[in-house]
Amino acid sequence: MIQRFDTVPKGYRPNVGVVLINRAGLVFGGQRADTKTPAWQMPQGGMDQGETVQAAALRELAEETGVGAALVEPLAETEAWLAYDLPPDLAARMWGGRFKGQAQKWVALRFLGTDADIDLECHHPEFSTWRWLRAAELEAGIVAFKRPIYRAVLAEFAAFLSP
């Protein structure tokens, strides 16, 4: 289904996120390459006009991890758009100051490959390193302004995750 951008909360950039889950129920977490301070997150990125949530999720996953569609199985998608505000200093610099934050749809995907299939150098590197994490570890490592979104996403997909 094509995502209608008029359903995105006003003032927010349409974005998609990927919860990549391995066979043990652990979640892919990547350390952001643009900061030396601990800032772990899941693959995510902007959606193009007319792009489906699934297509955007698979594109972002491939761009950021090298994992293609053949190595994942779709599990679920968040019911609603989940929005967060950027800190004011970031909002002024990001995307030309056009957005106060991002509204995200999240997709849970089961990873069918091996760790060797993950390639952080496949496109423009977003992550300096990665590892499989329990949901609570990932939530604790995310920047504070994104933590409520991660908490909501991980709760919505809890049935797929290791306790």
Side-chain angles (χ1 to χ4, degrees):
M1 158 166 107
I2 302 243
Q3 187 61 53
R4 291 183 32 172
F5 282 4
D6 61 355
T7 64
V8 175
K10 189 167 177 58
Y12 291 90
R13 176 180 180 249
N15 185 280
V16 66
V18 176
V19 182
L20 185 64
I21 305 165
N22 71 8
R23 290 177 179 95
L26 301 175
V27 179
F28 173 95
Q31 166 61 42
R32 291 185 54 94
D34 60 357
T35 180
K36 294 197 185 307
T37 59
W40 293 82
Q41 70 177 45
M42 295 181 278
Q44 64 181 62
M47 291 180 66
D48 297 329
Q49 185 69 40
E51 191 173 37
T52 66
V53 171
Q54 286 289 327
L58 292 173
R59 177 182 50 76
E60 285 295 331
L61 182 66
E63 287 176 2
E64 296 183 14
T65 69
V67 173
L71 294 176
V72 296
E73 171 190 4
L75 298 173
E77 181 181 315
T78 53
E79 187 73 24
W81 287 98
L82 302 171
Y84 69 86
D85 290 346
L86 289 168
D89 61 315
L90 266 179
R93 292 181 307 192
M94 299 288 293
W95 312 298
R98 293 186 331 238
F99 304 105
K100 59 184 171 184
Q102 297 195 98
Q104 300 178 308
K105 282 283 202 156
W106 285 84
V107 176
L109 301 172
R110 174 78 62 213
F111 180 55
L112 305 174
T114 68
D115 289 0
D117 294 316
I118 296 176
D119 177 11
L120 301 183
E121 300 296 324
C122 61
H123 189 66
H124 177 72
E126 301 250 350
F127 302 120
S128 59
T129 190
W130 71 275
R131 63 182 185 215
W132 295 111
L133 300 164
R134 293 194 183 281
E137 292 174 293
L138 181 61
E139 185 183 322
I142 189 70
V143 294
F145 65 88
K146 290 185 182 178
R147 197 163 291 135
I149 293 289
Y150 271 53
R151 188 173 298 125
V153 169
L154 295 170
E156 192 164 338
F157 296 152
F160 306 112
L161 305 175
S162 178

